[in-house]
Each structure stands twice: as C-alpha cells, then as structure tokens.
Amino acid sequence: MHGTRILEEADRLMTVCNSCRYCEGLCAVFPAMEMRRSFSDGDLNYLANLCHSCGACYTDCQFSPPHEFNVNVPKTLAIARADSYAAYTWPRVFSGVFARNGLVVSIVLALSVAAFIFGFAAFNDRQVLFGVHTGPGSFYKLMPHNAMAALFGAAFLYAIVALAMGVRAFWRDIGEPIGTLAGPNSLWQAMKDAGQLRYLDGGGVGCVNEDERPNDRRKIYHHFTFYGFILCFASTTVATLYHYLIAREAPYPWWDLPVVLGTLGGIGLLIGPAGLLAERWKRDPDLVDQTRTGMDVAFIVMLFLTSLTGMALLLWRDTAAMGPLLALHLGVVFSLFITMPYGKFVHGIYRYVALVRYARERQMMGHGT
Ligand code: SF4
Ligand code: SF4
C-alpha cells in the first residue's frame, strides 16, 4: 500500500517496466529501478525526481495507450514529483497556495515590494527618486546599502533555510542517512551529471514534443537558464566582495567583472526562460502534469523578469529612470528569493540530491559512471 493513488500507479508501472526493461539505456530512472524488486514511497519519489520528463520512454513504449497496460511513465512520474515537492515544502502551509497561484503570488509580491520602496523614496525626497544620479554609490541614494543588504540577506537566508529543510525531508523520505550526502565521489559525479544535464536527452535523440520529433531545444534552454543563473549569482558575489573587501561601491563600469558576469548571465536568463516557456507550450499534453502550471511557470517568469529589469537598469542607470527601475528590480529579486522554495527552482535541488544517491548506488554496485 502506498500513501497516494499516484504512487500506487507509479509502483504498477515500475513493476511492468522491471519485467520489460526495454528502456534501460534511456536515462537514470530505469537502471535505478532495476536495482530494486519492490518500491517504497521513498523509492518512487526518488525515481520521480531522477526523471527529466523527456518523453522518450512514452513514445518508445509498446504498452503506452491505447494498449490496455496504459503505461505512461513521464506523466505519472511528473505528478508524483510535483506531489513530492508539496510534501517536502517548509513550511507546509505555503505549498498548496503556491501550486495553484504561483505566478500571481510572485508578481503581486514583486509589485508590492517595488511599490513600498518606490513610495518610501518618494515620500522622503522625490528628487532622490526621479533625479539623475551617477557614479559609485548612486544606487544607495534610493535605499541605503545596509538596509538593502539586511532586506535581501534576510530573504536569501529564508530561502536557504526553507530549501535545506526540504532537502532534509527528501533525504529522510528516500531512507538515506544524511551523512551519505557528504560522499565526495557521489557529490562530484552528480555535479558532472547535473552540469551536463546528462539524462535530459531521451537516450541521445532529445526531448519529444507534440509532433513526436525529438530535439535538443529543451536541454539547450535549460543550459542557458542554469548557467545564466550561476553567472548572475557570481556577479552578485563579486560585487559583495568588492563592497566589503576593497570598499568599491556599485554601480560599476561596464567593463568591470560584476557587470560582465551579470550581463552574460542576464542574456542567458532572457534566452533560457523564454525558450523553456515556448517549449512548454509545444509539449504533448499526454506527457506533462498540467495541473501544476502555476508552480512551473512562476519561477521561469520570475527569472525572466529579474533579468529584464536588471538589464533595463543597466541600460538606463545614468538617467532619471534609474530610481523607478531600481525599485522594480529590487521588488522582483525579493519575490524571486522568497518564492524560490515553493516554485520550480526546487526541481534542480531535488534532482541533484537524487543524482547523488544514484551515483552512490552505482558505486556500491560496482558500476562505472
Ligand atoms: S516504458 Fe514501456 S517499453 Fe519502456 S521499460 Fe516500461 S514497459 Fe518497457
Ligand atoms: S521521461 Fe525520459 S527521463 Fe523520464 S523516465 Fe522516461 S526516458 Fe527517463
């Protein structure tokens, strides 16, 4: 007996697939499945989080609908995966709200924070908000650096704590001692697999779309998004080090490292999320969980808006538009941080943790990488 109907269905499918094994070369799900004869709830959640929903095992399957076995692994694992995100959410009360209204919640929060900063600055001194400010420290005329660091540091810390609690719940659910997460070989192997999106290629042919012609576009847009995010994070880290270690204040000239990293990352975060949204609309509805659109779309849209407002700020920071643009950008970034543990961002974290376990299991079984 399993905790939910979808886990019952996932168990049924994995039992069928374990007898068939036709798809064992497609991704990590099938080799991980073959290491088991029975499946606990935690095992099925682990397999669900290894799956990239590429669709290859659906189009290749001789038992997919209309066959009476009704085997649809991508959709079943997609629903189980989304259920697992909700089950691991901390605090739990936010999961349902966000799954249904993720995009609305994110945008309302972003606009509220932007309006608060905008209103606060306008109330204090309209000249500060609509004046032209250039050179180091000009951003902090709108909001003092310490206030900015405290607000965004707290939001970031909240996101880290909520994500860590989620990982702890996932790791417990799959029945592993938390210490195994620290195995350097598994961590490194999982990092390489995640960095290459190794299993997001349907066994080499790409992801399946509505027309059943596989291609690599989903993987490419994922790469733009992932590396864009890493570059933007690196830009913020370098800027923080500049501020505290060598007392250099933002904004920096266009050739300086934080701006170069942020611009490259920003371009990635415009192309990647826009491409992922476009690909999402082309996907075969039989392959995806259409009930969780709010959660899926919210994070992608917020990444895109973070980049769009950041690039607009870079372009017009020496004009009177700087104040309103900075307020808007800060509102979007704040909302992105706060909603990160409740949106699609978590899929990257849980998939990485699942890959760590997969690498560890492969090593224990004496398999290569
Ligand atoms: S998805 Fe279909 S073809 Fe692939 S292993 Fe399962 S039953 Fe076999
Ligand atoms: S949809 Fe793709 S990643 Fe998921 S189980 Fe099937 S082949 Fe593997």
Side-chain angles (χ1 to χ4, degrees), residues 220-255:
I220 291 167
Y221 292 133
H222 257 97
H223 275 311
F224 270 108
T225 306
F226 177 71
Y227 288 105
F229 187 85
I230 296 286
L231 285 169
C232 287
F233 188 72
S235 164
T236 307
T237 306
V238 173
T240 305
L241 293 175
Y242 273 17
H243 188 93
Y244 288 110
L245 295 185
I246 56 175
R248 285 193 57 206
E249 292 193 321
Y252 305 104
W254 63 266
W255 46 261

Side-chain angles (χ1 to χ4, degrees), residues 61-112:
C61 182
Q62 59 271 42
F63 304 121
S64 59
H67 191 282
E68 61 182 324
F69 284 6
N70 193 27
V71 172
N72 187 339
V73 175
K75 186 162 196 156
T76 303
L77 293 189
I79 298 171
R81 193 164 54 246
D83 283 354
S84 77
Y85 299 160
Y88 306 142
T89 296
W90 182 90
R92 281 290 290 279
V93 67
F94 288 160
S95 67
V97 179
F98 204 79
R100 286 190 298 277
N101 313 298
L103 185 55
V104 175
V105 171
S106 303
I107 289 179
V108 167
L109 180 60
L111 291 178
S112 305

Side-chain angles (χ1 to χ4, degrees), residues 187-239:
L187 287 173
W188 176 238
Q189 183 60 47
M191 212 174 284
K192 284 193 292 182
D193 292 345
Q196 299 164 26
L197 291 173
R198 179 173 173 184
Y199 299 109
L200 183 57
D201 66 357
V205 295
C207 281
V208 181
N209 286 315
E210 207 167 18
D211 56 11
E212 294 202 356
R213 271 180 301 190
N215 63 60
D216 279 330
R217 285 202 290 268
R218 239 178 114 225
K219 184 171 187 170
I220 291 167
Y221 292 133
H222 257 97
H223 275 311
F224 270 108
T225 306
F226 177 71
Y227 288 105
F229 187 85
I230 296 286
L231 285 169
C232 287
F233 188 72
S235 164
T236 307
T237 306
V238 173

Side-chain angles (χ1 to χ4, degrees), residues 16-17 20-23 30 57 60-63 71 73:
V16 174
C17 293
C20 167
R21 301 196 170 186
Y22 180 75
C23 296
F30 295 97
C57 63
D60 288 0
C61 182
Q62 59 271 42
F63 304 121
V71 172
V73 175

Side-chain angles (χ1 to χ4, degrees), residues 14 23 26-30 47 50-58 73-75 77 81 199-200 202-203:
M14 290 298 101
C23 296
L26 292 181
C27 67
V29 172
F30 295 97
L47 296 175
L50 275 180
C51 171
H52 279 283
S53 276
C54 73
C57 63
Y58 182 74
V73 175
K75 186 162 196 156
L77 293 189
R81 193 164 54 246
Y199 299 109
L200 183 57

Side-chain angles (χ1 to χ4, degrees), residues 31-364:
M33 170 199 78
E34 289 172 13
M35 293 179 207
R36 297 166 165 79
R37 294 290 169 271
S38 61
F39 305 94
S40 66
D41 283 5
D43 289 333
L44 294 166
N45 286 329
Y46 158 58
L47 296 175
N49 278 285
L50 275 180
C51 171
H52 279 283
S53 276
C54 73
C57 63
Y58 182 74
T59 47
D60 288 0
C61 182
Q62 59 271 42
F63 304 121
S64 59
H67 191 282
E68 61 182 324
F69 284 6
N70 193 27
V71 172
N72 187 339
V73 175
K75 186 162 196 156
T76 303
L77 293 189
I79 298 171
R81 193 164 54 246
D83 283 354
S84 77
Y85 299 160
Y88 306 142
T89 296
W90 182 90
R92 281 290 290 279
V93 67
F94 288 160
S95 67
V97 179
F98 204 79
R100 286 190 298 277
N101 313 298
L103 185 55
V104 175
V105 171
S106 303
I107 289 179
V108 167
L109 180 60
L111 291 178
S112 305
V113 174
F116 176 77
I117 296 171
F118 188 90
F120 187 76
F123 181 75
N124 271 335
D125 185 350
R126 286 176 64 83
Q127 260 316 100
V128 167
L129 186 60
F130 295 110
V132 176
H133 313 284
T134 56
S138 57
F139 288 165
Y140 308 127
K141 291 197 168 68
L142 185 82
M143 187 179 196
H145 179 269
N146 286 346
M148 207 184 278
L151 184 66
F152 287 87
F156 187 64
L157 192 64
Y158 174 81
I160 296 291
V161 170
L163 289 167
M165 294 299 282
V167 168
R168 182 166 164 262
F170 178 42
W171 205 245
R172 279 187 170 170
D173 185 31
I174 62 178
E176 291 278 349
I178 199 82
T180 57
L181 258 183
N185 292 342
S186 322
L187 287 173
W188 176 238
Q189 183 60 47
M191 212 174 284
K192 284 193 292 182
D193 292 345
Q196 299 164 26
L197 291 173
R198 179 173 173 184
Y199 299 109
L200 183 57
D201 66 357
V205 295
C207 281
V208 181
N209 286 315
E210 207 167 18
D211 56 11
E212 294 202 356
R213 271 180 301 190
N215 63 60
D216 279 330
R217 285 202 290 268
R218 239 178 114 225
K219 184 171 187 170
I220 291 167
Y221 292 133
H222 257 97
H223 275 311
F224 270 108
T225 306
F226 177 71
Y227 288 105
F229 187 85
I230 296 286
L231 285 169
C232 287
F233 188 72
S235 164
T236 307
T237 306
V238 173
T240 305
L241 293 175
Y242 273 17
H243 188 93
Y244 288 110
L245 295 185
I246 56 175
R248 285 193 57 206
E249 292 193 321
Y252 305 104
W254 63 266
W255 46 261
D256 216 330
L257 193 56
V259 181
V260 173
L261 291 171
T263 305
L264 292 174
I267 292 169
L269 286 183
L270 288 176
I271 297 172
L276 285 175
L277 277 177
E279 287 303 303
R280 190 181 161 78
W281 265 295
K282 290 186 214 154
R283 298 223 74 198
D284 185 340
D286 285 343
L287 297 177
V288 292
D289 172 15
Q290 290 178 303
T291 61
R292 298 328 212 284
T293 305
M295 184 185 187
D296 274 10
V297 169
F299 179 62
I300 303 176
V301 170
M302 291 314 288
L303 277 181
F304 182 83
L305 291 179
T306 301
S307 178
L308 191 68
T309 54
M311 297 296 258
L313 181 61
L314 177 65
L315 284 176
W316 287 296
R317 62 186 181 176
D318 292 335
T319 72
M322 187 271 272
L325 282 174
L326 181 58
L328 187 59
H329 183 58
L330 292 177
V332 172
V333 173
F334 185 86
S335 174
L336 180 77
F337 282 172
I338 291 292
T339 57
M340 238 163 36
Y342 312 109
K344 195 66 195 277
F345 179 78
V346 297
H347 88 291
I349 306 284
Y350 295 144
R351 182 153 296 135
Y352 176 73
V353 173
L355 283 169
V356 173
R357 188 193 203 191
Y358 179 65
R360 182 170 164 276
E361 286 184 339
R362 300 269 298 169
Q363 285 156 11
M364 284 169 63

